[in-house]
Amino acid sequence: AAAMSFGDAGAAQARVLHDWVGHPFSFPANALFAARNGVSLGAYDLLAPLSFLGDPIRPYGRVDIGTADEPFLLEGWYPSERDGDISFRWASQRAGVIVPLNFPDDLDLQIRLRGFRADGASPQTVVIDTGQQRFGPLPVDTEWQTLVIATTRTAWRTGVNRVSLTFSSTGRPADGRDTRDLGAAVDYVRVQIRPQGAR
């Protein structure tokens, strides 16, 4: 096993402790947030300040996958990569992302992605589940595209929303050196309040 310095060991222990109990001065707000959303006490300190739709002049929120995305990621992601100016992560067949909302509303859910399609495989599709509603299957191209799904407020809840992406298939690059099961590369997940006329 690789040696770990006392500083690294202490930092790792501090991260674990924070995840369990959060910041002491966040209590009892963190306990209520954790109980309502099924997350750790420490998640309050990370997610509550980052919740979307809290600023009236910023009616949107975005999880930039591959860049400072750790508080928002659930299962199913591979390490971050770059494609020119685009930061992204490959998702396996099922991947999840947290969308924290100050309140539910009629939102456009935007997901920028490109699917992986093995030779001879059927075209890729994705089913999107916000935890309250499911959408799809929707076609996913092998080139970068932005899926825009018009949702109503009934698709969301105040606090933590666990959005899952389930792809119809996975594949591996033809050269055989990459053994990951790839569903799609995802650049970002974004929500935006729909204008009144579009509701």
Side-chain angles (χ1 to χ4, degrees):
M4 179 181 287
S5 72
F6 285 116
D8 290 341
Q13 290 174 345
R15 283 193 296 273
V16 170
L17 181 63
H18 177 268
D19 193 45
W20 286 347
V21 302
H23 193 282
F25 295 111
S26 297
F27 189 82
N30 60 356
L32 292 171
F33 183 87
R36 288 178 183 153
N37 294 286
V39 296
S40 69
L41 293 174
Y44 172 84
D45 299 314
L46 296 172
L47 294 173
L50 300 174
S51 289
F52 305 146
L53 311 184
D55 184 345
I57 63 172
R58 193 169 181 247
Y60 61 88
R62 170 174 155 148
V63 179
D64 188 0
I65 305 294
T67 304
D69 57 7
E70 286 81 5
F72 303 100
L73 296 186
L74 298 170
E75 75 290 336
W77 300 100
Y78 292 106
S80 60
E81 300 181 34
R82 295 200 70 83
D83 180 5
D85 293 334
I86 299 170
S87 64
F88 70 94
R89 289 180 189 260
W90 282 103
S92 57
Q93 188 155 17
R94 188 172 189 273
V97 62
I98 288 176
V99 175
L101 297 177
N102 271 37
F103 56 87
D105 207 328
D106 297 342
L107 303 176
D108 282 334
L109 172 61
Q110 304 165 356
I111 303 172
R112 189 161 191 260
L113 75 174
R114 64 179 171 90
F116 184 88
R117 184 175 174 190
D119 292 341
S122 300
Q124 182 70 277
T125 63
V126 64
V127 172
I128 300 159
D129 191 330
T130 66
Q132 309 296 314
Q133 282 185 328
R134 296 180 68 185
F135 304 90
L138 304 169
V140 179
D141 197 25
T142 55
E143 301 296 325
W144 287 110
Q145 68 180 115
T146 303
L147 296 177
V148 180
I149 302 103
T151 71
T152 63
R153 67 189 63 232
T154 58
W156 306 98
R157 63 190 297 272
T158 299
V160 170
N161 293 268
R162 293 171 173 83
V163 178
S164 68
L165 311 175
T166 303
F167 298 97
S168 56
S169 63
T170 60
R172 295 179 178 178
D175 64 14
R177 291 180 301 214
D178 190 339
T179 59
R180 298 176 299 173
D181 294 313
L182 306 178
V186 183
D187 177 16
Y188 62 75
V189 176
R190 187 177 189 272
V191 289
Q192 179 168 343
I193 297 177
R194 288 212 312 282
Q196 289 290 337
R199 300 185 185 202

